[in-house]
């Protein structure tokens, strides 16, 4: 998305579109890091518990828009945290090292020169690079921009995503269920995934299977969205309303992708807005989001499509000429821990949990049921295993790529041992482009 300058209060979660350099120093002036007394180190150097030094308090300096008078020789100035340092002072005696006097003070520990003084520009000097282009603006980054007085940083705005779930059988969460009705989980799941991906999300739940109703809803959300995501209604059923309505425009292409779960897919651009039509089965919808929508949203935000997981070994596909999942997704090499079955001619994405074995390698095992409707398995999964199209059975010990979904228990400072050779990767087959074909209901 095109960069623009945005008010700082609206920039959280955005990605910087250009480098930001400081035009002011931080701190902007020498100031005290402690409540205590501004002093000359040489005048309090002899202070000790046995022989405290007593000096007159010549002034009191509070934090705020003040310009303190120079420190009178042989005296100290009572000073508060953040208050400007008076000329002539070169140390701060913290309050705990004194008797806390206001007219005179007894000092029983000698500070070194420069103690508890924040020097102007010691954190950031004018002209310093503050944040680089491509930085995601979290709370710390927003605070830093405020500190250097950047009111409108240049950012890629967060994409506005509209999520439409379709199906006359859907009811909202919390509503009573009638015969043949199911709770609309897709719109909540996809909206949450889009939010996690950095989007501003609007959710439109339970659009009916009536073509006119869907067409009206679609036209309405298209006006205020940068991306539209639909779920359901794109297979070969008699009332697959999304496919029925959107195929007439000629701008959305519907395909049968050789993958499981998530075979029926659609994509196109309508009025300049990308439209992703995802399957209706809940696992299929979320897996499809991870494979197709999340990378697109990252690119729209000004980020690379792929990400790096801390403490993980990336999957190497040198022998496969760099093609496939590792080229665009957050993948890592894992060792399969049990027999994994896959349908021939389809790239399969089993939902797996990851654990370290005794040697530090990552081992993948099934995370619950693997049906396209079984959300409990996906909810407990750490990753999607990537099984190539030509493989029908994966033996334990085989190394395959896995697309990371969550930060699992093994994440941390210890990086997993990387034993995946390019030969092992090649033996699992290329994770290249999937083929079209197959049956409905996946």
């Amino acid at each position: 998305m095109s960069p623009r300058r945005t008010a700082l209060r609206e920039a959280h979660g955005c990605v910087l579109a250009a480098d930001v350099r400081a035009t002011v120093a931080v701190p902007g002036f020498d100031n005290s890091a402690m409540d205590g007394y501004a002093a000359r180190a040489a005048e309090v150097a002899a202070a000790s518990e046995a022989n405290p030094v007593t000096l007159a308090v010549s002034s009191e300096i509070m934090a705020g828009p003040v310009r303190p008078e120079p420190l009178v020789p042989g005296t100290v100035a009572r000073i508060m945290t953040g208050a400007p340092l008076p000329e002539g002072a070169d140390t701060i005696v913290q309050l705990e090292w004194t008797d806390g006097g206001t007219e005179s003070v007894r000092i029983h520990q000698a500070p070194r020169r420069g103690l508890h003084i924040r020097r102007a520009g010691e954190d950031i000097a004018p002209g310093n690079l503050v944040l680089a282009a491509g930085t995601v603006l979290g709370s710390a980054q927003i605070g830093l921009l405020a500190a250097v007085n950047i009111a409108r940083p240049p950012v890629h705005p967060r994409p506005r995503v509209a999520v439409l779930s379709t199906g006359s059988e859907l009811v909202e969460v919390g509503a009573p269920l009638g015969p043949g009705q199911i709770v609309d989980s897709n719109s909540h799941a996809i909206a949450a995934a889009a939010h996690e991906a950095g989007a501003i999300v609007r959710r439109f739940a339970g659009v009916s299977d009536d073509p006119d109703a869907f067409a009206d809803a679609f036209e309405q959300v298209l006006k205020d969205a940068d991306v539209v995501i639909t779920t359901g209604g794109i297979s070969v059923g008699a009332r697959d309303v999304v496919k029925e309505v959107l195929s007439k425009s000629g701008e959305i292409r519907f395909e049968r992708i050789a993958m499981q779960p998530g075979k029926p897919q659609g994509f196109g651009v309508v009025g300049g807005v990308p439209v992703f039509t995802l399957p209706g089965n809940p696992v299929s919808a979320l897996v499809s989001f991870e494979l197709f929508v999340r990378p697109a949203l990252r690119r729209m935000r000004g980020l690379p499509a792929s990400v790096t997981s801390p403490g993980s070994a990336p999957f190497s596909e040198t022998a496969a000429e760099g093609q496939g999942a590792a080229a665009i997704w957050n993948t890592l090499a894992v060792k399969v821990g049990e027999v994994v079955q896959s349908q021939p001619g389809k790239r399969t994405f089993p939902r797996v949990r990851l654990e370290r074995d005794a040697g530090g390698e990552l081992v993948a095992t099934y995370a619950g049921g693997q049906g396209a409707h079984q959300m409990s398995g996906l909810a407990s999964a750490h990753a999607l295993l990537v099984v190539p199209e030509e493989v029908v059975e994966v033996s334990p010990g085989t190394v395959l790529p896995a697309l990371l979904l969550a930060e699992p228990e093994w994440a941390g400072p210890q990086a997993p041992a990387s034993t995946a050779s390019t030969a092992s990767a090649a033996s699992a087959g290329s994770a290249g482009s999937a083929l079209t074909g197959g049956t409905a209901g996946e």
Side-chain angles (χ1 to χ4, degrees), residues 279-377:
N281 277 318
V283 174
S284 300
L286 272 174
V287 169
S288 299
F289 181 94
E290 294 297 330
L291 299 181
F292 305 125
V293 185
R294 188 183 295 274
L297 291 178
R298 287 181 58 84
R299 291 296 297 271
M300 292 180 74
R301 293 180 63 208
L303 295 168
S306 62
V307 294
T308 300
S309 173
S312 64
F315 184 75
S316 173
E317 290 206 5
T318 305
E321 299 181 354
Q323 299 299 312
I328 58 172
W329 297 319
N330 179 27
T331 57
L332 60 161
V334 301
K335 186 168 66 176
V336 177
E338 60 185 302
V339 174
V340 174
Q341 304 288 342
S342 181
Q343 293 190 28
K346 293 183 181 180
R347 188 182 310 170
T348 307
F349 296 93
R351 281 68 71 199
V352 296
R353 291 185 62 81
L354 303 177
E355 294 181 353
R356 291 183 186 276
D357 64 12
E361 295 182 275
L362 296 177
V363 179
T365 55
Y366 280 130
Q370 296 294 304
H373 63 292
Q374 292 178 295
M375 280 293 290
S376 58

Side-chain angles (χ1 to χ4, degrees), residues 105-187:
V105 62
R106 186 167 59 188
I107 299 166
H108 52 75
Q109 188 167 334
R112 59 175 170 79
R113 180 174 296 165
L115 185 64
H116 303 317
I117 295 176
R118 303 166 177 159
R119 294 296 181 185
E122 72 174 26
D123 186 11
I124 303 167
N128 280 4
L129 178 65
V130 177
L131 292 171
T135 299
V136 179
L137 298 182
S139 55
Q141 292 75 30
I142 292 292
L144 180 57
L145 291 172
V148 296
N149 207 22
I150 302 296
R152 298 181 63 83
V155 300
H156 296 279
R158 295 165 60 194
R160 300 167 300 166
V161 172
V163 177
L164 285 82
S165 59
T166 64
S168 298
E169 74 278 16
L170 299 178
V171 298
E172 186 57 285
V173 172
L177 292 172
Q181 292 183 319
I182 61 173
V183 175
D184 175 16
S185 63
N186 274 356
S187 68

Side-chain angles (χ1 to χ4, degrees), residues 240-254:
D240 282 326
V241 65
V242 175
K243 187 174 183 180
E244 177 184 344
V245 172
L246 296 185
S247 60
K248 295 176 182 178
S249 69
E251 297 172 298
I252 304 291
R253 180 178 175 180
F254 294 92

